[in-house]
Amino acid sequence: MFRSAIIRDMPRLELDRSRAVEDYARAIHDLEAVGADAAVGTNALAARLNVTPASASGMVRRLETLGLVELTPYRGVRLTEEGDRVALSVIRRHRLLETFLAVRLGVPWDRVHAEAEVLEHVLSSELEAAIAKDLGEPERDPHGAPIPRPDGTLPGGETLSLAEMESQRKFVFVRIPDERPDMLRWLAERQIAPGAEMELLSREPFGGPLVVRTESGEHSIGAELAQAMRVEAQ
Ligand SMILES: [Zn+2]
C-alpha cells in the first residue's frame, strides 16, 4: 500500500515533527535529482530548507534513526528505499492538491503551491485517492510536474531547458518550477502554460533574451526564465 506508515495515523502532537520528516525527505529527494553525486551535503540541505546547518544535522540523525536515510561520513546523506517512498508520497499529495485547487476550485496557478505546502501534510490517504479519482488520475500538475503514481513510479519523458534550445526550432513547453509565483504570473499574463506549442525565433548573445512565438504572439523571454522552463523538442 502506498502510504507512509510513519506519517499516517499519527497523534496531533507528533504532527509538526512528521511535517519536518516529510519536508526533509522531499528536499533530499529533490537535491539527489539535481546532483551528479547521489549523496546530499548537509549544508546544501540546510540552504534548501532555510534552516541552520546544525538543525539540518540534527534532523538528518533523526531520519537515520527512522531508517529513512543513510549517512556517508564527509559526503552526505542519501534516502533509503523507505525514505524515497516517504518523499514520493508527499510529492504525490502536493501535486494532486495543486491540480485539484487549480482545476476544480479555480485557484490561480501562482497560488496553489503555497496552499498545497500546508495541506499536503494533513491529507488522509482516503481523500488523496478520492481527489486522484475525481481528477481522472492525472499525470501532471498545473506546472507540468509529473505526479508520482500510487506505486511510486513517475510518468516521464526527457526534457531540456529552453535556454539549451536551438534557434528556429519548434518545441512544446512542458514544465516550470512551482516556487516562483512571479514567473508563473508573467507566463499566465501571456497565456503561456505547459502544453503550449512554441517556436524559438532567435536569441540575443551574452545571455540575453530569447524571442519565442506562441499562439498569443511573440514574446521576449529573459535568461533566468528560459533556464527555468523545461521543454521538449518537436
Ligand atoms: Zn508546488
Side-chain angles (χ1 to χ4, degrees), residues 94-95 98 112-114 116-117 141 143 178-179:
H94 181 93
R95 293 180 180 167
E98 288 189 336
V112 295
H113 175 74
E117 282 282 278
D141 76 10
H143 313 107
D178 59 6
E179 291 158 4

Side-chain angles (χ1 to χ4, degrees), residues 187-218:
L187 290 167
E189 280 161 13
R190 288 154 184 83
Q191 290 114 47
I192 303 173
E197 290 180 17
M198 304 171 70
E199 184 179 358
L200 178 55
L201 299 177
S202 64
R203 66 167 71 231
E204 294 299 321
F206 318 120
L210 280 64
V211 180
V212 299
R213 178 157 49 217
T214 71
E215 233 175 44
S216 61
E218 284 184 18

Side-chain angles (χ1 to χ4, degrees), residues 7 22-23 28 32 39 44 50 103 105 111 130 156 189 200 214:
I7 307 303
E22 291 188 334
D23 285 341
I28 296 165
E32 280 179 347
N50 220 357
V103 172
L105 306 184
R111 284 176 30 207
E189 280 161 13
L200 178 55
T214 71

Side-chain angles (χ1 to χ4, degrees), residues 24 42-43 45-46 51-62 71:
Y24 270 78
T42 311
N43 287 340
L45 188 57
V51 298
T52 63
S55 60
S57 301
M59 191 63 196
V60 158
R61 279 194 295 278
R62 178 151 181 265
L71 278 168

Side-chain angles (χ1 to χ4, degrees), residues 153-186:
T153 56
L154 276 167
E158 286 292 302
T159 60
L160 70 162
S161 132
L162 173 53
E164 299 167 296
M165 194 75 204
E166 289 165 42
S167 291
Q168 313 295 326
R169 287 288 301 272
K170 293 193 175 168
F171 61 90
V172 175
F173 172 35
V174 176
R175 177 176 179 187
I176 180 84
D178 59 6
E179 291 158 4
R180 287 288 302 269
D182 51 344
M183 285 183 178
L184 297 174
R185 278 193 296 274
W186 192 93

